Amino acid sequence: MPAVSKGDGMRGLAVFISDIRNCKSKEAEIKRINKELANIRSKFKGDKALDGYSKKKYVCKLLFIFLLGHDIDFGHMEAVNLLSSNKYTEKQIGYLFISVLVNSNSELIRLINNAIKNDLSSRNPTFMCLALHCIANVGSREMAEAFAGEIPRILVAGDTMDSVKQSAALCLLRLYKTCPDLVLMGEWTSRVVHLLNDQHMGVVTAAISLITCLSQKNPDEFKTCVSLAVSRLSRIVSSASTDLQDYTYYFVPAPWLSCKLLRLLQCYPPPEDGAVKGRLVECLETILNKAQEPPKSKKVQHSNAKNAILFEAIALIIHYDSEPNLLVRACNQLGQFLQHRETNLRYLALESMCTLASSEFSHEAVKTHIETVINALKTERDVSVRQRAADLLYAMCDRSNAKQIVAEMLSYLETADYSIREEMVLKVAILAEKYAVDYSWYVDTILNLIRIAGDYVSEEVWYRVIQIVINRDDVQGYAAKTVFEALQAPACHENMVKVGGYILGEFGNLIAGDPRSSPLVQFNLLHSKFHLCSVPTRALLLSAYIKFINLFPETKSTIQEVLRCDSQIRNSDVELQQRAVEYLKLSSIASTDVLATVLEEMPPFPERESSILAKLKKKKGPGAVSVNELEDAKREGGELNGGGERADTSAMAASNASTPSPSADLLGLRPAPAVGSAPPSTGSLLVDVFSEGSAAPSAGVNDDGFLRDLEQPPETSDTLLAEGPGDSDSAPPPAVSEEPAPPLPEAEELLNKFVCKNNGVLFENQLLQIGIKSEYRQNLGRMYLFYGNKTSVQFVSFSTTVSCPGELPTQLNLQTKTVEPLIEGGAQVQQVVNIECLTDFVDAPLLNIKFRYGGALQNLTLKLPVTINKFFQPTEMLSQEFFQRWKQLSQPQQEAQKIFKAGHGIDTEVVKAKLLGLGTALLENVDPNPENFVCAGVIQTKAQQVGCLLRLEPNAQAQPGEQMYRLTLRSSKDTVSKRLCELLSEQF
Amino acid sequence: MIGGLFIYNHKGEVLISRVYRDDIGRNAVDAFRVNVIHARQQVRSPVNNIARTSFFHVKRSNIWLAAVTKQNVNAAMVFEFLYKMCDVMTAYFGKISEENIKNNFVLIYELLDEILDFGYPQNSETGALKTFITQQGIKSAHHTKEEQSQITSQVTGQIGWRREGIKYRRNELFLDVLESVNLLMSPQGQVLSAHVSGRVVMKSYLSGMPECKFGMNDKIVIDKQGKGGGTDEAGKSTGKQSIAIDDCTFHQCVRLSKFDSERSISFIPPDGEYELMRYRTTKDIILPFRVIPLVREVGRTKLEVKVVIKSNFKPSLLAQKIEVRIPTPLNTSGVQVICMKGKAKYKASENAIVWKIKRMAGMKESQISAEIELLPTNDKKKWARPPISMNFEVPFAPSGLKVRYLKVFEPKLNYSDHDVIKWVRYIGRSGIYETRC
């Protein structure tokens, strides 16, 4: 840089800055700035041109004002003028102003680009550097567009100065980072790679940053850099500390360059070429050796530089993961750092060890440091280091040391920092599950976990305990006993109460033999915690109580007493109130058989991925869990739980489903997934009770009705309940008949709507919508019925029957599948009807629908829109042929004719569309009168085919309202003619 | 209740810190500094809630006064207290500045102990305080032992603001009606908003325990009298002569029950200076000046401004300290001003032309014209044209308020209403008096 000449001091600027520094208040500062701005404006406005020095001074002041946080909206032109100055300082200030202040959209950008171009093409290296720095500082897309082509040329040109090359490399890197699409290396690639061979170390250092970035995007193009990098590295590593003069930093040769080279190599797999690989391994060994040498200086910079290279080398070794020797050595050297004075080193050592632990070669070596790591966990002052120590413990854990590590982590948890507790809890939970040899140990561990850090035990953890206890018969007794003991503590965590409630509710009977834990004692113990718990836990406890009634009938009266008390049955929380009411009724009405069925022990959970693992995966955390570990865990988890089923690969997604949802279905009142697909709502509780209970002889129709009443919203359930028991003795309520209702009066009309179309809405009222979609081929048809629940309340006992009245069964064959008995509010179910036409028919089949909405039975009957014309097969024929056939069907009974008024006026296109919808072929140019419509088709039935001709003659000339049609149908079968005539006459 | 009170200088250093309740910790001091004084964005709300602690602050020049509480207190009460606190400090040592606060910190702590007790505001009447808090400038010489012994009975008695046994040779009282008139006017001369906020300040030097009755041309009172009396005089005095007061507040000495029932203002005055009432009017305001702006943009680099002011009051009256402030665009590079009267100058530091006239009689007009040169900028933003503002002082009340009488009765001592020398003065000042251009 040229020396600053004497006149460049810019005294005015110094005065201005000191004025501002001396301002007492913000207001004074603003006043001073306003004054200065006015002064600069008048100077810039002044007619006589300013000299370079004052221009520079004022631009500098503007820049300073801008950096103080004020808006600057002038002076850009002056700054651009400065760019063309030949003085270094003026040019520098100009570039500074522009890189700080110029936004891309200004019209000045062309002038600026021009000035930059001039500087780039000048042979003056300082000017070129200034221009390059400006491009990099602005780093906008426009800059990239303008100069992305130019800079690589400067970078590789033979005659460019080294300092310019450095700037160019870094500038290009910056542009590449902003818009990679514009920086295309193409032909320059190999020459850029060869910059690694440059004699100037600065150029190499700058170039390697660029190459690392580029090779991360397209590794193949830059593959050649590996061997160059290795040779460069080996030259540096093997050089004596005095060889590299300027680039030796506290006796370490070129530490930054070494680190960057090592990092570049981490972008690639180990070199295939044996010689290169040998050389690299040699380098790495040398680095490891050098790290062991006694330090050449006591200065911290020396050790920092050395360690930086060492850690980078170890990272490379871990990346390659193929040299057992090096891995073990790396591990040992890291071990030395574990007790180093320097906190940063301890942190880095632990972090690197975490990754080493996952390598099979060095896992054992890492394990030797267990004592040190445990010690670090206990005594380390810095929380982030402790966190890493916990990570490492987790990573190095296996079957052999699991018990020790889990115990240590548990004991640490009591004093652990709050920020890492939750993660620690998860890790303990996983390790306990993963390496559990016996389940009592597992149960103990998790209960301890809840005891120590209950607040941090997430739902998943205790779900998992329960899953495992339920699935394993052998631990159930032990678990019940342990939980019972744990609950005796005067203050226990809510999660503990949850686990306790669930497990005692399921397996309390296993410890009931002991008089110290008799049913009543168990119940009282649980109930003593009840009032301290939150609503979800209380709900769970209520479920546990009802289970108790089943397990220990002797507690029934006590529990009913509890349920009956106002704080339950009138609880302000709807969920609790509903449970209390339902359970109370269930316990007083249902027989023991029903109770035993409903409140049966939970079936084993289907084996899935541990929900805890999924949770930990979601959490970030370097080295927390690597992928193969997870696989491992999954495998071992599978073994552990003895489930024959394989964890599916998409378990991640399913994991949420695998955890019992905390609300209604905890006790499995809902049929277990094995039994049938459970509807997801909590309200379904008692419907399911009914559907199972109805199998039991005692549950009659009235109970059925009563229980259905129960699933009313709670506010109405009170009154319904009041009359429920009374009703149960009397006859079924007469108001609602269970017989299929007669067809709706409008059914015929609804039917007519579908003569000419196949899809649409058949029926709709406030509750229900029925949509139809149908298709016909030959004598077969398929109809899809869609039942949509328009309310927000579910329909229960939804059933449909399709029946054929009269002699229709011999003419039409209908097959349907039954539909789901339950339609959720807003949901839609589909039913398929398969239709086979045996012979021609007249009547339409009936569809009867029954369901309960809000306790009231709904019953309605509709006609299914199946008419004979649906089985039409269009026949194309010429005029002559048509009239020939027309004449053939001239017997009076074969013809049906009707004259009727036009319903909607005569519109040719509408009529045509309807006739086509009918299924026949519309024949053009057949009838001599072009206004008449002529159609032909064959009706396909299983028994026979019926040819059919049609003529529709409108009198379009008549007054609107007077318009008439004459419809004539001739077919080989008289019934068909008649029926078609009837159907069609309604359509126009 | 108020948990603590802090006074900061402009840098956020604590000058005075008095904590009244245990729920306010020492860190509250820092919380206010960090979140309000040193906030990145200027905090405009006078009430801030930081970590469940409420901070109420007022700023006097460079000094921040902050009252702190954890409870749900009446914010109006807190601010009233803070204003009172400012008044008390001003009465004791003049201007509230860092220097003065540092010099009088012992006094301030003593005052704070007296006017707030466990966070509850106590007697903050300057006159009463001065009788027993006597520091530095306040002389206690003329207080006799006897007088000091009465302090307790006075401050705990029914009339806490006046002690017994005051004697003056000459009974005298001064009454000032101070008003500030606020205006926003459109360029065409349409009044967009206008109101007057006024104060009646009294200085009384009366012997004994006099009973005073104050009367003004309040519309309600005059109408009532007009109805009751039915005389010609009362009929004349209604109409233009009476004013409608929108709202008013009184000094604690005024008997509010009497005001509510008869709308008469009667009181036993404190000794010395005090503010008798505060009021606000919005109707029939006399606007002392009319500003007529004329701005013309000549191309992108030039602006011509012409402003005419017209005085609108009796020619016999003189307005003083007139100052017109004409904002200039932010890219002004030079200004030439010509004015017929007074002095005008372009003040770059304030981005405005300031035109000062020492005095001006009523029903006159004066004019200024300026040429403003602009520097072309690449900024597309248009100049927002802030309004032209004005300052002045006139010797009448722009609201039209008139003092009709002030009667003094002292039944025990032997002086009648006629013996009291009364002085009345009206001063109307500009508040925010702006005209858009």
Side-chain angles (χ1 to χ4, degrees):
Chain A
M1 189 193 291
V4 177
S5 65
K6 259 205 166 167
D8 285 346
M10 291 197 282
R11 196 155 163 274
L13 178 67
V15 168
F16 173 60
I17 293 175
S18 76
D19 274 2
I20 288 209
R21 296 247 160 94
N22 289 334
C23 280
K24 278 266 156 43
S25 66
K26 203 165 174 123
E27 291 74 28
E29 184 183 309
I30 289 171
K31 278 190 171 173
R32 180 70 185 89
I33 285 169
N34 279 337
K35 199 176 147 197
E36 194 60 44
L37 283 175
N39 175 36
I40 297 172
R41 279 195 299 261
S42 68
K43 284 285 174 358
F44 282 173
K45 174 80 183 178
D47 299 327
K48 59 175 195 290
L50 291 169
D51 59 347
Y53 167 77
S54 14
K55 234 184 239 171
K56 177 182 74 174
K57 186 174 75 183
Y58 294 130
V59 167
C60 243
K61 282 182 182 175
L62 285 180
L63 193 55
F64 183 74
I65 293 171
F66 178 77
L67 294 178
L68 282 177
H70 301 266
D71 274 342
I72 294 295
D73 51 7
F74 64 98
H76 301 77
M77 200 59 221
E78 282 72 17
V80 173
N81 286 343
L82 282 178
L83 293 188
S84 52
S85 159
N86 273 329
K87 276 201 186 145
Y88 171 78
T89 50
E90 287 166 19
K91 205 183 261 288
Q92 183 200 26
I93 296 296
Y95 273 123
L96 191 58
F97 186 89
I98 278 160
S99 39
V100 174
L101 253 150
V102 167
N103 45 0
S104 51
N105 57 2
S106 83
E107 58 259 45
L108 288 174
I109 207 84
R110 260 186 36 241
L111 288 173
I112 295 167
N113 283 355
N114 208 18
I116 292 177
K117 268 209 181 96
N118 284 340
D119 279 341
L120 284 184
S121 55
S122 80
R123 313 301 301 162
N124 186 335
T126 40
F127 290 178
M128 288 174 88
C129 281
L130 276 179
L132 286 168
H133 295 168
C134 180
I135 296 171
N137 280 333
V138 174
S140 65
R141 197 168 175 86
E142 288 73 23
M143 283 290 178
E145 271 164 7
F147 301 108
E150 177 88 354
I151 297 168
R153 197 185 51 72
I154 297 173
L155 179 60
V156 296
D159 54 351
T160 317
M161 297 270 292
D162 289 333
S163 60
V164 180
K165 272 190 190 170
Q166 288 179 43
S167 296
L170 293 176
C171 180
L172 197 59
L173 174 62
R174 165 69 207 234
L175 292 185
Y176 182 76
K177 277 180 180 163
T178 31
C179 13
D181 52 322
L182 289 176
V183 182
L184 300 169
M185 293 315 288
E187 71 241 63
W188 309 113
T189 306
S190 66
R191 297 180 70 181
V192 169
V193 169
H194 276 93
L195 285 175
L196 287 179
N197 273 338
D198 203 286
Q199 298 101 327
H200 193 268
M201 296 290 263
V203 175
V204 183
T205 315
I208 203 161
S209 297
L210 177 65
I211 293 169
T212 310
C213 188
L214 289 170
S215 61
Q216 270 160 0
K217 282 277 156 60
N218 24 1
D220 289 338
E221 284 182 39
F222 288 87
K223 228 176 180 159
T224 44
C225 69
V226 173
S227 59
L228 289 177
V230 169
S231 65
R232 188 92 220 182
L233 183 67
S234 84
R235 261 182 283 158
I236 296 170
V237 167
S238 57
S239 70
S241 59
T242 48
D243 285 358
L244 295 162
Q245 292 293 324
D246 287 350
Y247 286 86
T248 302
Y249 177 83
Y250 289 89
F251 308 103
V252 183
W256 281 278
L257 183 52
S258 315
C259 285
K260 283 184 174 179
L261 283 166
L262 287 164
R263 210 166 279 172
L264 173 63
L265 289 172
Q266 281 172 50
C267 301
Y268 289 94
E272 282 131 27
D273 186 355
V276 177
K277 190 173 185 187
R279 210 164 166 199
L280 179 59
V281 169
E282 205 176 291
C283 280
L284 292 172
E285 270 171 358
T286 322
I287 292 171
L288 292 181
N289 286 339
K290 274 196 177 173
Q292 298 287 55
E293 283 170 15
K296 293 192 179 107
S297 156
K298 286 230 165 87
K299 289 257 169 62
V300 67
Q301 290 94 330
H302 172 70
S303 56
N304 275 352
K306 228 165 67 167
N307 291 332
I309 300 177
L310 176 65
F311 276 110
E312 215 50 68
I314 290 174
L316 183 62
I317 293 168
I318 294 169
H319 170 73
Y320 285 162
D321 198 14
S322 58
E323 301 288 328
N325 264 340
L326 288 175
L327 279 165
V328 171
R329 273 195 69 183
C331 181
N332 291 337
Q333 296 207 335
L334 286 177
Q336 295 167 3
F337 286 131
L338 286 180
Q339 283 162 312
H340 202 276
R341 259 182 317 115
E342 193 77 6
T343 313
N344 289 339
L345 278 181
R346 290 197 301 269
Y347 181 94
L348 288 170
L350 287 169
E351 200 184 17
S352 306
M353 276 235 189
C354 259
T355 34
L356 275 177
S358 54
S359 163
E360 51 181 319
F361 299 114
S362 52
H363 188 77
E364 286 304 314
V366 172
K367 267 166 65 182
T368 55
H369 299 291
I370 183 163
E371 290 302 330
T372 328
V373 179
I374 288 172
N375 205 30
L377 191 64
K378 283 177 182 163
T379 58
E380 181 60 52
R381 265 176 295 123
D382 191 311
V383 64
S384 56
V385 180
R386 286 202 298 270
Q387 162 108 50
R388 288 287 89 80
D391 284 347
L392 179 54
L393 273 186
Y394 177 75
M396 67 165 66
C397 190
D398 62 12
R399 232 169 249 287
S400 62
N401 54 14
K403 273 200 175 176
Q404 185 194 5
I405 287 180
V406 168
E408 288 296 344
M409 282 173 104
L410 263 182
S411 72
Y412 169 63
L413 199 55
E414 294 190 52
T415 54
D417 202 82
Y418 290 101
S419 55
I420 62 170
R421 275 197 181 185
E422 192 184 353
E423 205 186 320
M424 289 282 293
V425 166
L426 271 181
K427 284 183 169 158
V428 171
I430 291 170
L431 291 179
E433 188 188 327
K434 199 162 137 188
Y435 301 115
V437 263
D438 67 297
Y439 289 96
S440 47
W441 177 76
Y442 171 73
V443 171
D444 278 345
T445 308
I446 299 294
L447 289 181
N448 254 331
L449 201 60
I450 296 175
R451 190 176 53 75
I452 294 168
D455 283 340
Y456 298 91
V457 174
S458 54
E459 303 274 274
E460 285 83 353
V461 174
W462 72 266
Y463 290 170
R464 192 68 191 149
V465 192
I466 284 171
Q467 277 181 28
I468 286 176
V469 171
I470 300 255
N471 288 10
R472 304 292 306 183
D473 298 340
D474 44 343
V475 275
Q476 287 164 354
Y478 180 78
K481 186 163 155 283
T482 331
V483 161
F484 180 75
E485 280 160 9
L487 280 178
Q488 275 167 334
C492 61
H493 193 271
E494 198 167 326
N495 279 339
M496 184 69 92
V497 180
K498 286 182 187 167
V499 176
Y502 200 110
I503 289 183
L504 290 183
E506 291 291 329
F507 310 114
N509 54 341
L510 299 178
I511 55 167
D514 192 330
R516 281 167 302 171
S517 55
S518 70
L520 222 51
V521 175
Q522 284 184 34
F523 171 73
N524 285 335
L525 183 62
L526 276 183
H527 199 58
S528 68
K529 315 283 181 198
F530 186 86
H531 304 281
L532 304 170
C533 295
S534 63
V535 168
T537 313
R538 287 188 192 196
L540 190 150
L541 283 180
L542 284 182
S543 299
Y545 295 168
I546 188 80
K547 286 244 166 181
F548 267 37
I549 293 185
N550 178 40
L551 289 180
F552 319 114
E554 66 267 35
T555 60
K556 185 170 174 176
S557 57
T558 323
I559 290 172
Q560 278 182 338
E561 199 61 42
V562 169
L563 290 175
R564 203 174 287 127
C565 81
D566 276 357
S567 63
Q568 310 300 351
I569 212 157
R570 301 233 166 101
N571 197 300
S572 61
D573 187 88
V574 173
E575 177 68 31
L576 288 185
Q577 191 187 52
Q578 187 177 0
R579 285 194 189 215
V581 169
E582 285 172 354
Y583 292 159
L584 185 59
K585 282 298 161 197
L586 183 65
S587 65
S588 49
I589 286 175
S591 70
T592 41
D593 290 354
V594 175
L595 270 184
T597 321
V598 173
L599 305 170
E600 205 181 2
E601 194 177 293
M602 282 291 284
F605 286 92
E607 198 45 59
R608 299 207 189 97
E609 184 196 359
S610 161
S611 49
I612 316 172
L613 264 179
K615 165 135 190 189
L616 190 69
K617 264 196 242 171
K618 270 188 253 160
K619 287 193 70 122
K620 42 98 233 184
V625 193
S626 67
V627 176
N628 48 5
E629 259 179 285
L630 279 174
E631 294 297 323
D632 206 36
K634 227 191 270 173
R635 203 166 51 241
E636 298 203 32
E639 264 166 47
L640 172 82
N641 296 316
E645 293 142 300
R646 267 291 44 132
D648 57 348
T649 44
S650 63
M652 182 79 166
S655 65
N656 278 339
S658 80
T659 57
S661 101
S663 54
D665 53 340
L666 261 178
L667 286 179
L669 285 174
R670 167 199 296 184
V675 177
S677 62
S681 114
T682 54
S684 64
L685 217 59
L686 279 162
V687 187
D688 295 333
V689 170
F690 166 63
S691 59
E692 285 174 348
S694 60
S698 65
V701 175
N702 292 321
D703 284 340
D704 158 14
F706 161 60
L707 275 172
R708 282 185 181 158
D709 288 345
L710 272 181
E711 38 132 348
Q712 279 295 304
E715 59 266 28
T716 59
S717 68
D718 265 356
T719 56
L720 284 167
L721 274 176
E723 43 190 66
D727 281 358
S728 64
D729 303 324
S730 64
V736 190
S737 156
E738 294 281 330
E739 290 293 321
L744 294 174
E746 67 267 31
E748 191 65 46
E749 206 178 298
L750 293 172
L751 181 67
N752 280 328
K753 258 181 21 188
F754 282 86
V755 169
C756 293
K757 60 178 182 177
N758 286 337
N759 305 329
V761 175
L762 176 65
F763 173 79
E764 187 163 8
N765 63 8
Q766 299 97 309
L767 308 177
L768 183 72
Q769 186 190 50
I770 304 173
I772 278 193
K773 215 173 161 180
S774 48
E775 50 190 5
Y776 296 90
R777 187 165 297 140
Q778 307 245 341
N779 66 330
L780 299 177
R782 178 173 291 165
M783 183 179 280
Y784 298 90
L785 293 162
F786 298 92
Y787 304 98
N789 181 348
K790 288 169 67 179
T791 66
S792 53
V793 183
Q794 57 180 228
F795 293 157
V796 288
S797 309
F798 189 90
S799 68
T800 62
T801 28
V802 174
S803 57
C804 299
E807 51 184 59
L808 201 55
T810 57
Q811 298 161 339
L812 210 56
N813 191 0
L814 293 173
Q815 283 172 340
T816 55
K817 281 192 186 133
T818 51
V819 283
E820 288 278 342
L822 214 106
I823 308 181
E824 292 295 338
Q828 197 181 51
V829 295
Q830 179 192 339
Q831 187 182 25
V832 186
V833 185
N834 286 318
I835 307 160
E836 187 185 16
C837 179
L838 302 173
T839 175
D840 64 301
F841 60 96
V842 175
D843 284 336
L846 296 178
L847 171 70
N848 176 256
I849 299 151
K850 275 187 261 181
F851 59 94
R852 276 179 188 275
Y853 166 74
L857 183 67
Q858 306 286 331
N859 186 350
L860 65 118
T861 305
L862 300 165
K863 285 193 172 175
L864 270 187
V866 183
T867 45
I868 185 72
N869 66 297
K870 298 287 178 197
F871 303 96
F872 251 130
Q873 193 85 351
T875 328
E876 292 289 345
M877 54 182 79
L878 295 172
S879 170
Q880 198 186 359
E881 195 184 350
F882 177 81
F883 282 107
Q884 192 189 347
R885 297 211 178 176
W886 185 261
K887 279 184 193 126
Q888 278 173 4
L889 301 166
S890 57
Q891 289 172 23
Q893 68 267 32
Q894 286 174 331
E895 183 187 272
Q897 193 173 61
K898 202 165 183 183
I899 298 169
F900 53 93
K901 268 196 174 176
H904 333 279
I906 297 173
D907 183 337
T908 319
E909 288 313 309
V910 173
V911 173
K912 274 187 186 169
K914 281 198 173 168
L915 288 174
L916 280 175
L918 190 68
T920 53
L922 186 65
L923 305 178
E924 305 276 348
N925 306 328
V926 171
D927 202 89
N929 181 352
E931 282 192 20
N932 292 352
F933 301 95
V934 175
C935 303
V938 178
I939 289 177
Q940 307 269 356
T941 67
K942 199 182 177 189
Q944 66 197 119
Q945 298 186 338
V946 183
C948 205
L949 302 172
L950 179 151
R951 232 174 138 188
L952 184 68
E953 300 159 84
N955 62 337
Q957 291 80 13
Q959 294 292 315
E962 305 261 341
Q963 288 171 330
M964 307 283 272
Y965 283 112
R966 185 169 71 183
L967 175 70
T968 316
L969 269 156
R970 286 188 181 182
S971 72
S972 50
K973 207 164 176 190
D974 51 353
T975 47
V976 173
S977 302
K978 261 190 209 151
R979 177 67 184 152
L980 279 174
C981 192
E982 272 167 30
L983 287 171
L984 269 176
S985 60
E986 299 295 325
Q987 299 297 319
F988 299 103
Chain B
M1 289 305 108
I2 296 171
L5 203 135
F6 307 123
I7 301 180
Y8 302 83
N9 66 5
H10 72 283
K11 289 181 200 150
E13 291 160 353
V14 192
L15 304 176
I16 301 284
S17 151
R18 178 74 173 88
V19 175
Y20 293 94
R21 289 179 174 239
D22 292 338
D23 55 358
I24 302 299
R26 291 280 151 200
N27 50 0
V29 185
D30 300 322
F32 182 75
R33 179 180 45 239
V34 172
N35 290 295
V36 179
I37 302 181
H38 289 168
R40 200 158 293 176
Q41 243 117 36
Q42 195 192 354
V43 176
R44 300 174 81 178
S45 161
V47 185
N48 295 282
N49 201 294
I50 304 158
R52 293 200 208 149
T53 311
S54 305
F55 293 81
F56 306 78
H57 75 263
V58 296
K59 226 184 145 189
R60 285 285 178 273
S61 63
N62 271 335
I63 299 297
W64 301 73
L65 280 91
V68 192
T69 183
K70 281 233 169 184
Q71 284 160 317
N72 185 14
V73 299
N74 182 348
M77 185 274 282
V78 176
F79 283 109
E80 186 61 33
F81 172 77
L82 286 174
Y83 294 141
K84 261 273 144 44
M85 166 91 197
C86 291
D87 291 346
V88 169
M89 289 200 292
T90 325
Y92 266 89
F93 50 77
K95 193 170 172 276
I96 297 176
S97 65
E98 185 176 351
E99 184 87 2
N100 276 344
I101 287 176
K102 279 182 180 164
N103 289 338
N104 291 291
F105 76 95
V106 180
L107 168 70
I108 294 174
Y109 277 116
E110 204 174 336
L111 284 172
L112 285 175
D113 278 343
E114 196 54 50
I115 59 180
L116 265 185
D117 187 10
F118 194 47
Y120 293 96
Q122 305 294 309
N123 193 349
S124 56
E125 191 58 41
T126 323
L129 285 171
K130 278 189 178 172
T131 59
F132 51 89
I133 298 181
T134 51
Q135 281 270 340
Q136 287 192 357
I138 308 304
K139 293 179 210 88
S140 60
H142 69 273
H143 290 299
T144 59
K145 276 257 165 63
E146 191 193 339
E147 278 173 351
Q148 287 188 342
S149 67
Q150 287 180 356
I151 288 172
T152 315
S153 70
Q154 182 204 328
V155 296
T156 55
Q158 202 179 8
I159 304 172
W161 56 89
R162 189 178 180 93
R163 66 192 168 84
E164 302 227 16
I166 299 172
K167 275 224 169 71
Y168 288 101
R169 208 148 47 83
R170 208 155 75 132
N171 290 310
E172 205 172 12
L173 66 83
F174 302 85
L175 200 150
D176 288 350
V177 177
L178 309 173
E179 296 196 336
S180 81
V181 52
N182 300 289
L183 169 78
L184 181 63
M185 195 179 251
S186 77
Q188 288 75 34
Q190 193 184 357
V191 174
L192 301 173
S193 83
H195 72 269
V196 170
S197 57
R199 306 188 296 147
V200 178
V201 177
M202 281 181 82
K203 227 184 263 180
S204 59
Y205 304 106
L206 301 169
S207 311
M209 280 298 203
E211 174 85 36
C212 298
K213 206 169 171 194
F214 174 69
M216 55 180 180
N217 56 343
D218 181 5
K219 197 171 188 177
I220 298 175
V221 178
I222 299 218
D223 285 357
K224 212 191 264 173
Q225 282 176 350
K227 256 180 222 161
T231 58
D232 281 351
E233 264 183 0
K236 251 183 219 166
S237 62
T238 48
K240 262 249 127 182
Q241 299 298 310
S242 60
I243 62 161
I245 287 178
D246 285 16
D247 50 50
C248 51
T249 54
F250 294 103
H251 189 268
Q252 57 169 338
C253 65
V254 175
R255 294 196 184 88
L256 292 178
S257 56
K258 257 207 170 137
F259 180 75
D260 285 343
S261 58
E262 306 165 24
R263 237 178 139 82
S264 74
I265 302 164
S266 68
F267 55 98
I268 294 171
D271 197 37
E273 189 176 345
Y274 60 95
E275 184 185 285
L276 180 66
M277 72 178 285
R278 246 185 258 181
Y279 58 90
R280 204 169 69 90
T281 70
T282 51
K283 286 208 184 75
D284 298 325
I285 293 163
I286 307 159
L287 296 173
F289 285 97
R290 168 84 209 277
V291 178
I292 305 161
L294 206 79
V295 180
R296 203 160 67 90
E297 281 175 50
V298 189
R300 276 190 68 199
T301 59
K302 207 167 170 191
L303 203 67
E304 281 179 6
V305 181
K306 202 168 107 180
V307 177
V308 180
I309 58 168
K310 282 183 183 169
S311 56
N312 180 31
F313 44 88
K314 273 190 236 156
S316 57
L317 298 176
L318 271 182
Q320 287 182 310
K321 299 177 189 168
I322 301 154
E323 185 186 288
V324 182
R325 179 176 291 264
I326 305 161
T328 55
L330 293 175
N331 54 345
T332 304
S333 64
V335 177
Q336 276 92 48
V337 205
I338 307 162
C339 62
M340 303 188 300
K341 219 178 162 203
K343 280 178 188 162
K345 203 178 164 191
Y346 167 57
K347 285 201 173 168
S349 60
E350 288 154 49
N351 281 324
I353 298 166
V354 180
W355 176 27
K356 283 181 178 168
I357 303 171
K358 279 206 179 115
R359 52 185 79 78
M360 189 172 176
M363 303 317 254
K364 290 263 171 58
E365 72 172 62
S366 188
Q367 167 178 320
I368 184 174
S369 55
E371 264 183 27
I372 301 172
E373 281 181 73
L374 302 174
L375 189 74
T377 62
N378 51 358
D379 221 359
K380 299 294 178 294
K381 271 182 289 175
K382 247 197 129 209
W383 180 44
R385 290 203 181 186
I388 294 171
S389 60
M390 207 181 158
N391 290 318
F392 54 80
E393 206 177 287
V394 288
F396 62 91
S399 67
L401 181 128
K402 292 256 161 49
V403 178
R404 290 174 63 218
Y405 56 81
L406 188 98
K407 292 174 190 154
V408 182
F409 311 100
E410 169 50 272
K412 285 184 193 151
L413 294 173
N414 247 347
Y415 68 92
S416 72
D417 187 33
H418 302 292
D419 302 333
V420 181
I421 305 161
K422 301 168 190 164
W423 306 86
V424 180
R425 177 167 67 163
Y426 298 93
I427 300 174
R429 291 201 182 92
S430 57
I432 297 166
Y433 200 87
E434 293 179 332
T435 307
R436 290 193 181 147
C437 61

